[in-house]
Amino acid sequence: MKKRFTLENIVTLLASIGILSFSCQNRCDPDKLLKNLYDNYPSSALMLSAMDSILDSDALSPQDKAILCYNNCELRDSLHLSMLPDSLLSEYMSYYIYHPDNYYYPRLLYYQGRAFAESEKLSNAINNYLRAIDLLKSNSDANLSAYIYSYMADLYENNLDQKKAREYYVKAAELFLKANNWRSYIIAIRDQGDTYVLEEEYETALQLYFTADSLLEGSSDSILCSDLACHIGIVYLTKEDYTEARRYFEESLEFNPTNSSASFSLSNICVTKDDYDHTRKRLLIVLDQTKDLTERSMLLYRLYEMDKSYGNYQSALTFLEKSDTYQDSIVENRYDRQLIETEKKYQKQKIEMANMRLSIERNRITIVSCILILLLILSILVYRLEVNKRKRKHAELLHETEKHKYLLKEQQLLNKQQEQELRSKEKELIQTQRLSDLIKETLFRNSVLYQKIKLVSNISLQNRSKKNSYQHAIEEIFGEPSFSQSDKERLITFTNNIYPHFTEKLLHRIPSLSEEELIYCCLLMFDLSLNDQAIILNVTVNTIKSKRHRIMTKGGCTNRNMRLEDFLEEIQKAVWPEEDRK
């Protein structure tokens, strides 16, 4: 596979050099150049690579380069790839910026708006879209104007301005209907419904979804039918109408069995063992057919949650590890794309600087040659004048050199700034992980086990003699004793969920711990007071103190100035090597 990829690159390079040479000699027009590209490159990806190489060269005039840039953007759009960077688009479309027309200029503005949106420059993207629509009014291209309105609406919806987003979705729907683009018209109606869902106006959203569904009646577009049924199911799921939600999710999967959103949502209303088995099989099928890393990570995490809830802990851990691996890959891919874009910009600037140096060198040689010829003809006075001219030229070269040094320093500062941005994003990831841990702890605080612990801890020491009466009350409420064996198992499970591998690390550090001492160490991880611990374990405070001393002695920490809580926290934070797990 590696040899084949290398051969394709060599073919691409040789063909690009041939086309560039032909273009430089003949200055062919863009239509002829595109025909040559289509003839030489049956693969769209290779043709896109060749077009990028030609755009970086000086083989075309500014107008022809702008036209080729438009074709490049169209090809990227058809391949569902990201647009060229907005700075490069500004350079390539410079001809139409100063010589605007009604065909290429609005379309280039539209693609540049897409590039601004990908770079999260929302105000620039909106300005480009509005300028493109103004130019398209005279061209009466209703279909393209509708698409632009849809992209504008998406930006406002992502910015939580649902009213503005709905306004543009309505305009897009009107123009799609005018252009007889029924599929996009139905999608625009569906998107209007999405804005009402975000505002919790579910009945209005359902009305719009059902309208779109009626327009799709008898359609062979299974993807859109599946997507629309999934949207309706999500509304019913939000309204807690699980029967209708299940019906629409299953209808969505009948149209498109690989709809990961429908499968994921259907798994949220899995209530019986049969539901669990059926939903798990369906999620595994969708996982095998899904290529998107984000969706695969989401499906794996859902499988982890389901297996964990039904006690399949080994399988659940496997799914969790795979989900984390995909999350890491997503982050790495994002950083790789940013790094590649930065390298492209740097290489382009480096080439431009090399061309500038060559041009300066060429001019210098020409001037020197002229001076040598004039020295043979002119007098000593003319010779002195030429010497002065050479000095002035040298000063200009020094000035250019200083200017280039300044540009290099600016580029270095830009690179440092990008490195700082990468570090800040890494910090954001760490904060997200901390938030995840906080959510897990909050789930423990809301659990039945924690309620029982709090109920037991609220009993005063004076009422400990009434143990049978309050235990009987707790058994009536929860169906089991105040702190039963199942409670201990739940406590260990919660502790390991919040602090992964805590009990394994603790037993690895202190193998001689008894079960009661292990349970006590788990209680210490949840900030319970000494008095609460004594009541829960049905012992005296002095017994608790003895138990703490005994654990510290087993851990070999009696001579260290450290509390038991600090000792447990040190164990929890320690890295858990693979060989220790085995």
Side-chain angles (χ1 to χ4, degrees):
M1 183 68 184
K2 187 173 181 180
K3 291 181 179 178
R4 183 184 171 190
F5 180 74
T6 305
L7 182 60
E8 288 180 355
N9 279 338
I10 293 172
V11 172
T12 302
L13 180 60
L14 293 175
S16 299
I17 292 172
I19 292 173
L20 281 172
S21 301
F22 179 78
S23 300
C24 290
Q25 294 173 3
N26 298 281
R27 290 290 179 181
C28 62
D29 58 77
D31 294 334
K32 191 171 182 180
L33 181 60
L34 285 171
K35 185 178 183 304
N36 289 332
L37 288 172
Y38 281 112
D39 292 341
N40 284 279
Y41 298 104
S43 167
S44 298
L46 289 175
M47 187 173 72
L48 182 63
S49 177
M51 291 173 72
D52 288 339
S53 300
I54 295 172
L55 282 171
D56 287 337
S57 71
D58 296 327
L60 298 173
S61 66
Q63 181 180 7
D64 294 342
K65 186 173 285 191
I67 295 173
L68 187 63
C69 173
Y70 165 68
N71 287 280
N72 183 290
C73 292
E74 270 197 329
L75 183 57
R76 286 175 177 274
D77 196 12
S78 65
L79 295 174
H80 304 289
L81 298 175
S82 59
M83 292 292 111
L84 291 166
D86 55 86
S87 58
L88 289 180
L89 282 171
S90 296
E91 178 185 342
Y92 295 147
M93 59 189 281
S94 59
Y95 175 83
Y96 285 114
I97 292 176
Y98 298 106
H99 306 86
D101 71 341
N102 290 331
Y103 185 81
Y104 286 110
Y105 188 48
R107 285 162 175 76
L108 286 169
L109 284 172
Y110 157 63
Y111 284 125
Q112 190 182 35
R114 295 265 299 275
F116 280 132
E118 289 173 3
S119 303
E120 297 184 359
K121 300 175 182 177
L122 303 185
S123 59
N124 291 342
I126 294 293
N127 289 336
N128 269 43
Y129 288 149
L130 291 174
R131 288 165 61 195
I133 287 174
D134 287 339
L135 291 170
L136 287 170
K137 286 180 181 177
S138 59
N139 199 15
S140 66
D141 191 338
N143 200 50
L144 181 56
S145 298
Y147 277 118
I148 295 175
Y149 277 129
S150 294
Y151 279 108
M152 291 175 65
D154 291 341
L155 290 179
Y156 281 111
E157 185 175 12
N158 292 336
N159 209 28
L160 302 181
D161 189 348
Q162 306 306 326
K163 185 176 180 181
K164 199 72 174 177
R166 188 159 52 246
E167 176 187 336
Y168 285 117
Y169 281 135
V170 170
K171 289 182 179 180
E174 293 172 354
L175 290 173
F176 280 133
L177 185 61
K178 182 179 177 181
N180 289 325
N181 188 344
W182 283 96
R183 190 178 192 279
S184 298
Y185 172 65
I186 293 169
I187 291 174
I189 294 176
R190 180 206 67 191
D191 292 339
Q192 292 176 46
D194 291 343
T195 62
Y196 283 110
V197 170
L198 293 172
E199 291 179 345
E200 299 183 2
E201 297 184 21
Y202 301 121
E203 297 304 325
T204 308
L206 283 174
Q207 246 179 358
L208 288 167
Y209 290 154
F210 288 137
T211 301
D213 188 50
S214 65
L215 294 172
L216 270 175
E217 188 173 351
S219 172
S220 60
D221 192 340
S222 59
I223 300 297
L224 186 54
C225 291
S226 173
D227 182 69
L228 193 56
C230 182
H231 276 67
I232 297 173
I234 289 173
V235 173
Y236 280 118
L237 181 61
T238 308
K239 294 174 64 178
E240 298 183 357
D241 188 346
Y242 300 118
T243 303
E244 287 297 308
R246 182 191 295 271
R247 181 168 74 87
Y248 278 101
F249 287 140
E250 290 177 348
E251 179 182 333
S252 173
L253 291 169
E254 286 178 7
F255 284 116
N256 179 19
T258 64
N259 190 327
S260 58
S261 178
S263 300
F264 186 86
S265 301
L266 187 59
S267 68
N268 288 326
I269 49 178
C270 166
V271 292
T272 66
K273 185 66 170 62
D274 291 338
D275 284 343
Y276 160 72
D277 293 334
H278 181 64
T279 304
R280 191 178 187 276
K281 289 178 182 177
R282 179 176 286 157
L283 286 175
L284 288 171
I285 293 172
V286 175
L287 180 64
D288 289 337
Q289 299 174 348
T290 300
K291 304 299 182 185
D292 185 81
L293 294 180
T294 304
E295 290 188 6
R296 289 181 70 85
S297 175
M298 179 183 68
L299 291 169
L300 285 166
Y301 193 81
R302 182 56 185 154
L303 285 165
Y304 152 72
E305 290 179 329
M306 291 177 63
D307 281 1
K308 185 180 73 171
S309 64
Y310 279 87
N312 298 334
Y313 299 116
Q314 188 63 37
S315 175
L317 285 173
T318 303
F319 286 130
L320 181 60
E321 289 174 357
K322 290 182 179 179
S323 176
D324 291 341
T325 302
Y326 280 116
Q327 284 294 335
D328 293 341
S329 299
I330 292 168
V331 174
E332 287 177 2
N333 289 340
R334 189 184 308 129
Y335 288 158
D336 288 344
R337 286 196 299 271
Q338 293 175 352
L339 185 59
I340 289 170
E341 289 181 1
T342 303
E343 287 179 350
K344 282 184 177 179
K345 291 179 182 177
Y346 173 72
Q347 290 297 333
K348 182 173 179 59
Q349 291 177 357
K350 188 176 179 181
I351 291 170
E352 288 176 352
M353 290 178 64
N355 290 335
M356 187 179 296
R357 290 193 188 98
L358 289 173
S359 177
I360 292 171
E361 184 67 21
R362 191 164 52 244
N363 292 336
R364 189 181 68 83
I365 293 172
T366 303
I367 292 170
V368 170
S369 300
C370 292
I371 291 172
L372 290 174
I373 295 171
L374 288 173
L375 283 174
L376 297 173
I377 302 171
L378 300 177
S379 63
I380 297 175
L381 180 59
V382 176
Y383 170 76
R384 289 180 178 177
L385 291 174
E386 290 298 331
V387 169
N388 292 334
K389 186 186 292 184
R390 289 182 67 182
K391 288 181 179 179
R392 287 197 299 272
K393 195 64 179 180
H394 183 66
E396 289 177 3
L397 290 173
L398 287 175
H399 177 70
E400 288 293 330
T401 304
E402 292 297 327
K403 183 178 179 181
H404 294 158
K405 289 181 179 178
Y406 177 74
L407 290 174
L408 284 174
K409 287 181 181 178
E410 283 188 340
Q411 184 63 39
Q412 290 173 354
L413 289 174
L414 179 61
N415 291 338
K416 289 181 180 178
Q417 183 180 355
Q418 289 174 345
E419 289 176 359
Q420 291 175 356
E421 290 176 358
L422 287 175
R423 292 194 189 98
S424 66
K425 289 182 179 179
E426 290 174 354
K427 290 180 181 178
E428 289 176 5
L429 288 175
I430 293 173
Q431 290 175 356
T432 303
Q433 184 62 40
R434 290 176 180 170
L435 179 59
S436 173
D437 294 341
L438 180 60
I439 291 172
K440 290 180 180 179
E441 186 173 351
T442 304
L443 290 174
F444 172 75
R445 299 277 179 183
N446 295 332
S447 66
V448 174
L449 173 61
Y450 188 74
Q451 294 174 17
K452 187 184 294 185
I453 291 174
K454 292 304 291 181
L455 182 60
V456 173
S457 65
N458 288 333
I459 300 173
S460 64
L461 290 172
Q462 291 77 9
N463 291 329
R464 290 184 64 189
S465 59
K466 302 176 182 179
K467 173 181 175 183
N468 293 332
S469 61
Y470 74 72
Q471 278 199 351
H472 179 68
I474 290 173
E475 288 178 4
E476 286 186 355
I477 295 172
F478 295 100
E480 56 184 1
S482 60
F483 200 60
S484 62
Q485 184 64 29
S486 62
D487 287 335
K488 296 176 182 179
E489 293 173 358
R490 290 192 196 104
L491 178 60
I492 292 175
T493 302
F494 273 121
T495 306
N496 284 326
N497 283 341
I498 297 173
Y499 307 104
H501 305 293
F502 172 73
T503 56
E504 296 174 2
K505 292 178 183 178
L506 183 58
L507 290 173
H508 182 266
R509 183 72 175 270
I510 313 176
S512 59
L513 275 184
S514 66
E515 181 183 3
E516 291 301 322
E517 289 170 342
L518 180 65
I519 293 297
Y520 177 68
C521 289
C522 290
L523 282 175
L524 284 180
M525 299 305 290
F526 296 100
D527 299 329
L528 296 174
S529 67
L530 195 65
N531 191 36
D532 289 345
Q533 297 167 19
I535 295 175
I536 292 169
L537 297 177
N538 196 21
V539 295
T540 65
V541 173
N542 289 331
T543 304
I544 292 294
K545 292 179 179 178
S546 300
K547 186 185 294 289
R548 291 170 64 91
H549 180 73
R550 187 164 57 254
I551 294 171
M552 291 292 283
T553 302
K554 288 182 179 182
C557 297
T558 53
N559 295 327
R560 295 172 59 186
N561 188 15
M562 178 184 288
R563 299 184 307 131
L564 178 57
E565 288 82 352
D566 297 332
F567 176 67
L568 295 177
E569 184 177 356
E570 181 183 282
I571 292 175
Q572 183 266 321
K573 289 182 178 179
V575 178
W576 184 230
E578 185 67 28
E579 58 270 17
D580 290 346
R581 300 184 196 183
K582 292 179 182 178

